[in-house]
Amino acid sequence: MYESFSFSLIYIFCKKYPNQIFGVLFILKMKAAYFPWFYFFFKFLTANKWKELLIGLLVGHIYIFLKEILPISHKINIIKSPDFLYSK
């Protein structure tokens, strides 16, 4: 479950800040927009944990869609903060 959760956080961060530069393996420098895909294929080749990473990718993508895209395109806010967190 840890792999799925951490990969979904990586995916969400990389979607929010796509121009951030990551140093990968002390050799490569890549933009955050490409990092989740690199991480996915690297883990697929080395650890064969593609199912956990695919779950994390789907959860991260669904979160980005429900939190940022859907409220702008259709004016529907499914994921919203509780009212007691807002100051009045």
Side-chain angles (χ1 to χ4, degrees), residues 50-64:
W50 65 273
K51 292 177 187 174
E52 291 88 0
L53 295 177
L54 190 60
I55 291 169
L57 179 75
L58 291 174
V59 168
H61 190 73
I62 289 170
Y63 175 80
I64 291 289

Side-chain angles (χ1 to χ4, degrees), residues 71-84:
I72 293 171
S73 65
H74 288 40
K75 308 277 190 279
I76 300 170
N77 192 4
I78 294 175
I79 301 175
K80 59 183 175 180
S81 300
D83 290 337
F84 69 86

Side-chain angles (χ1 to χ4, degrees), residues 15-34:
K15 281 294 199 177
K16 284 185 168 270
Y17 305 104
N19 292 324
Q20 178 78 28
I21 301 293
F22 283 123
V24 180
L25 300 174
F26 303 109
I27 300 170
L28 303 171
K29 292 189 180 200
M30 95 178 30
K31 286 188 174 185
Y34 307 116

